[in-house]
Amino acid sequence: FSPADRWPTIDAFKAELIALGGTFRLRAAAMTDVGRVREHNEDAVLAVDYTRESLVDPAQSHLYVVADGMGGAEAGEIAAAIAVQTIRSYIESRLESARGEVTNGAELLTAALEEANSRIIEYVASHPESRGMGSTGVCALVAPPDAAVAWVGDSRGYLMEGATLRQVTKDHSLVQRLIEIGQITAEEAHTHEHKNVITRSLGARQSGPAGAEAVSLKLKRGDKLMLCSDGLTAHVDDRQIHDILGRNPDPFDAARELIVAANAGGGTDNITVIVVYAS
């Protein structure tokens, strides 16, 4: 309804229509860093592309996973590794049976996270010394232009559309719950004494589901998707994320600068980030 939002000429409108019918390309960078305080990196990261070559019916899909493990005696590293491996195996088996087609990414990802939850519970049952271990998880499955993001815990997913950045996940954490019921503000959450307490995680219970959630998205050319562990968001706020994603035309440079910024802010935890650019 606003004239300022309309195409200035018929040629500009035509160019947009041609672009919409063209090839959709994704560029991604995945990085993880131990940070400045921890001795071990208990995060795990995965970025993998699936392509079905066909002149008649080609297909492409992309899986991205960030897992933030927790638990002593290197148990966190094991939990994160189990999460990533299980999610990958689950998605690959479903893609293979569906000949590479993704029909409901959100449903697939939540099921994959719940499968990872079961595998971690089974590991703890057979390794009592690892009791208390678990992992958060955030993952994205993209079959352009469709995308889905699913999560458990406080690892996050963000989408940048044009100049607008929004968090598409909602933390499963105590401070998020306090924000929702009005006891604290989002600003107060950053310094709250219980800011690291999460309310859901993979392997948190001896039985039952983890409570994974998911959202479905439609990507457009120029959109930027970011997944990260809380080691990033503990020190880099949304304004800085917006600035870094907006300034860097290459996802590798954006991912590297995000990790540098988290370390510059203190680096008190492991830092993992995946940046995906659609063009």
Side-chain angles (χ1 to χ4, degrees):
F1 293 97
S2 171
D5 294 334
R6 300 173 191 164
W7 286 276
T9 66
I10 190 64
D11 286 336
F13 181 45
K14 179 181 176 182
E16 180 72 7
L17 289 176
I18 292 171
L20 287 171
T23 302
F24 209 107
R25 178 180 174 226
L26 294 184
R27 294 176 294 147
M31 293 186 188
T32 186
D33 188 86
V34 70
R36 299 176 60 188
V37 174
R38 302 290 180 90
E39 293 185 1
H40 300 288
N41 192 342
E42 296 188 322
D43 287 0
V45 63
L46 170 74
V48 61
D49 303 325
Y50 306 100
T51 303
R52 185 177 70 207
E53 300 289 353
S54 171
L55 294 175
V56 178
D57 191 21
Q60 62 168 313
S61 53
H62 312 263
L63 175 64
Y64 308 105
V65 186
V66 171
D68 180 358
M70 63 197 80
E74 300 183 359
E77 296 173 43
I78 296 171
I82 292 172
V84 167
Q85 292 167 5
T86 303
I87 293 167
R88 178 176 186 169
S89 297
Y90 188 93
I91 295 298
E92 287 181 351
S93 67
R94 280 10 180 227
L95 288 176
E96 184 176 351
S97 61
R99 297 182 59 250
E101 296 289 345
V102 177
T103 55
N104 192 329
E107 190 175 290
L108 276 176
L109 288 180
T110 52
L113 282 166
E114 294 296 349
E115 182 71 11
N117 178 60
S118 297
R119 296 289 82 78
I120 293 173
I121 290 171
E122 289 173 5
Y123 183 91
V124 172
S126 58
H127 298 80
E129 72 279 3
S130 63
R131 181 175 299 277
M133 84 174 192
S135 178
T136 70
V138 61
C139 46
L141 183 60
V142 184
D146 297 311
V149 176
W151 73 99
V152 173
D154 59 358
S155 290
R156 293 180 178 179
Y158 287 84
L159 179 64
M160 189 165 181
E161 301 172 286
T164 303
L165 177 75
R166 63 186 175 96
Q167 183 180 335
V168 297
T169 60
K170 185 170 71 173
D171 294 355
H172 296 138
S173 67
L174 177 59
V175 293
Q176 177 62 38
R177 181 59 183 150
L178 294 176
I179 291 171
E180 290 172 359
I181 63 177
Q183 286 197 8
I184 63 173
T185 66
E187 291 72 27
E188 291 171 336
H190 290 294
T191 55
H192 196 276
E193 59 180 331
H194 299 307
K195 64 181 180 179
N196 294 321
V197 177
I198 58 176
T199 54
R200 300 183 197 178
S201 67
L202 303 174
R205 304 173 182 175
Q206 293 184 7
S207 63
E213 293 189 78
V215 293
S216 297
L217 308 168
K218 280 281 187 185
L219 292 183
K220 305 181 299 298
R221 286 168 183 79
D223 286 354
K224 300 173 180 180
L225 181 67
M226 188 194 80
L227 307 180
C228 66
S229 62
D230 70 329
L232 177 78
T233 51
H235 301 292
V236 184
D237 61 26
D238 289 5
R239 177 187 55 79
Q240 291 174 286
I241 293 171
H242 177 279
D243 176 57
I244 292 170
L245 292 179
R247 278 192 293 101
N248 286 284
D250 185 271
F252 178 88
D253 294 334
R256 181 171 56 184
E257 187 173 343
L258 286 165
I259 286 180
V260 167
N263 277 321
T268 55
D269 199 354
N270 309 141
I271 310 151
T272 300
V273 61
I274 300 176
V275 179
V276 184
Y277 284 9
S279 60

